[in-house]
């Protein structure tokens, strides 16, 4: 068992040159403005992507994104944490493009020990292509909280007590990619990518991570610090207060369009066991 550590390494207003590698796309991913801006582009030949230089085991991570404008049907902008291998862990934001004027779909998912199928989907209450907005993942040993512009939209609690795998033992990198998924992304694949609008571009800025960096089999965090309750480390045990819970419920009531925990047709033998916990739904 990994010992919990309480002295977090903080990365504030990080530089994309310093913290990320452009991993694929043959020049379609670019770092601009002295490292303050990163863009991914997609054309008919290829998409593009990047990943963090560091691996993390728990963190409070923010990134500002401005999504592909106009007719983005068929495109997917993915921003996620993931480990590697057949029993990988993963925490996903995926933004599913749409026809001009129709809303993006924000798709979220959590994988534990290689098992996913825990999707929740939302419309956004703003135009995510007009300006940058902040998408955040709080990942600690007790819970994962997805937030948009500081408003929580989803909480996935650690339910290991009822044998539900929870991401807590595998360090994960941050990944992002812009790619063509017109076989499923928009209206189940009915709407195809219109390449006359290419290249499609998504932009990133203001990456912030207050996180435990994993390197050479050890965490940058240590349990030797007495400052585990300091503001800088509060995220390691953070939970939602009643105000945050009410804000999340309001978003889910008004903007959630799919919840695996209510899909009885998909799970005719019974809903996943964690769905009995109201905090997952």
């Amino acid at each position: 068992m990994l010992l919990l550590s309480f002295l977090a390494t903080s990365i504030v207003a990080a530089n994309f040159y310093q913290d990320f590698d452009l991993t694929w796309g043959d020049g379609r991913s670019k770092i601009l403005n002295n490292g303050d801006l990163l863009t991914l582009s997609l054309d008919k030949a290829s998409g593009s992507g990047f990943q963090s230089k560091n691996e993390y085991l728990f963190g409070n991570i923010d990134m500002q994104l401005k999504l592909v404008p106009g007719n983005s049907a068929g495109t997917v902008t993915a921003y996620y944490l993931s480990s590697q291998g057949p029993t990988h862990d993963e925490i996903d934001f995926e933004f599913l493009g749409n026809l001009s004027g129709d809303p993006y779909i924000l798709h979220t998912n959590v994988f534990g020990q290689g098992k996913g199928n825990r999707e929740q989907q939302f419309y956004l209450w703003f135009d995510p292509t007009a300006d940058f907005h902040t998408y955040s993942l709080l990942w600690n040993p007790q819970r994962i909280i997805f937030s948009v512009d500081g408003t929580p939209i989803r909480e996935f609690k650690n339910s290991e007590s009822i044998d539900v795998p929870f991401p807590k033992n595998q360090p994960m990198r941050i990944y992002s990619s812009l790619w063509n998924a017109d076989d499923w992304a928009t209206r189940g694949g009915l709407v195809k990518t219109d390449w006359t609008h290419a290249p499609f571009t998504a932009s990133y800025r203001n990456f912030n991570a207050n996180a435990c960096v994993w390197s050479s089999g050890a965490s940058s965090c240590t349990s030797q610090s007495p400052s585990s309750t300091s503001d800088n480390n509060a995220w390691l045990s953070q939970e939602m207060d009643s105000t945050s819970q009410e804000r999340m419920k309001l978003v889910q009531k008004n903007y959630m369009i799919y919840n695996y925990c209510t899909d009885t047709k998909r799970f005719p033998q019974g809903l996943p066991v964690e769905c009995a916990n109201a905090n997952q739904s």
Side-chain angles (χ1 to χ4, degrees):
M1 175 183 291
L2 291 170
L3 292 176
L4 240 186
S5 40
F6 290 108
L7 181 60
T9 297
S10 180
I11 305 171
V12 180
N15 183 288
F16 282 110
Y17 285 120
Q18 172 186 321
D19 293 294
F20 291 92
D21 291 320
L22 306 179
T23 48
W24 64 283
D26 193 24
R28 291 173 180 82
S29 49
K30 294 181 172 67
I31 297 175
L32 306 167
N33 297 359
N34 297 315
D36 291 336
L37 179 71
L38 189 153
T39 62
L40 296 181
S41 66
L42 163 70
D43 57 35
K44 198 166 187 178
S46 178
S48 52
F50 66 88
Q51 70 181 46
S52 62
K53 294 180 186 293
N54 288 324
E55 292 182 295
Y56 303 95
L57 189 62
F58 307 123
N60 192 10
I61 297 166
D62 303 329
M63 184 82 83
Q64 290 192 327
L65 280 74
K66 183 163 68 171
L67 300 179
V68 173
N71 182 357
S72 58
T75 71
V76 172
T77 306
Y79 163 57
Y80 58 103
L81 286 161
S82 184
S83 61
Q84 298 297 308
T87 58
H88 77 292
D89 294 336
E90 186 171 324
I91 307 168
D92 292 341
F93 278 119
E94 288 187 316
F95 303 90
L96 312 185
N98 217 329
L99 294 169
S100 298
D102 288 343
Y104 262 81
I105 292 174
L106 171 53
H107 175 101
T108 67
N109 202 356
V110 177
F111 286 73
Q113 295 294 308
K115 183 183 183 300
N117 299 327
R118 299 187 178 99
E119 301 91 346
Q120 290 183 356
Q121 294 183 338
F122 304 82
Y123 287 143
L124 295 166
W125 50 95
F126 52 82
D127 179 356
T129 73
D131 203 352
F132 286 90
H133 291 268
T134 303
Y135 302 92
S136 306
L137 291 170
L138 170 66
W139 169 38
N140 67 31
Q142 297 84 35
R143 60 188 46 79
I144 297 162
I145 300 172
F146 298 75
S147 299
V148 177
D149 287 339
T151 296
I153 64 168
R154 177 179 186 179
E155 179 180 34
F156 185 83
K157 281 195 167 185
N158 185 329
S159 298
E160 289 179 310
S161 60
I162 53 173
D163 297 324
V164 177
F166 183 84
K168 71 169 195 179
N169 296 317
Q170 300 185 59
M172 297 197 276
R173 293 188 194 276
I174 300 166
Y175 296 88
S176 191
S177 58
L178 174 57
W179 51 291
N180 177 42
D182 67 4
D183 56 333
W184 65 270
T186 305
R187 298 182 188 173
L190 294 177
V191 181
K192 301 300 183 182
T193 303
D194 183 350
W195 295 110
T196 65
H197 294 277
F200 304 97
T201 301
S203 303
Y204 302 74
R205 73 180 187 190
N206 290 347
F207 167 68
N208 287 280
N210 195 359
C212 300
V213 175
W214 188 265
S215 179
S216 302
S219 174
S220 66
C221 301
T222 94
S223 57
Q224 299 170 359
S225 169
S227 60
S228 60
T229 58
S230 73
D231 289 344
N232 195 47
N233 305 316
W235 62 269
L236 265 168
S237 57
Q238 184 175 331
E239 54 188 281
M240 288 197 293
D241 59 20
S242 57
T243 301
S244 295
Q245 290 174 358
E246 288 304 315
R247 291 169 69 199
M248 182 178 72
K249 287 177 184 176
L250 194 62
V251 168
Q252 292 181 348
K253 177 183 177 182
N254 292 315
Y255 298 101
M256 181 185 282
I257 59 171
Y258 178 78
N259 182 4
Y260 79 108
C261 276
T262 61
D263 193 345
T264 53
K265 289 184 179 179
R266 181 182 179 188
F267 300 105
Q269 304 304 315
L271 293 170
V273 292
E274 71 268 18
C275 293
N277 181 346
N279 289 293
Q280 309 291 15
S281 59

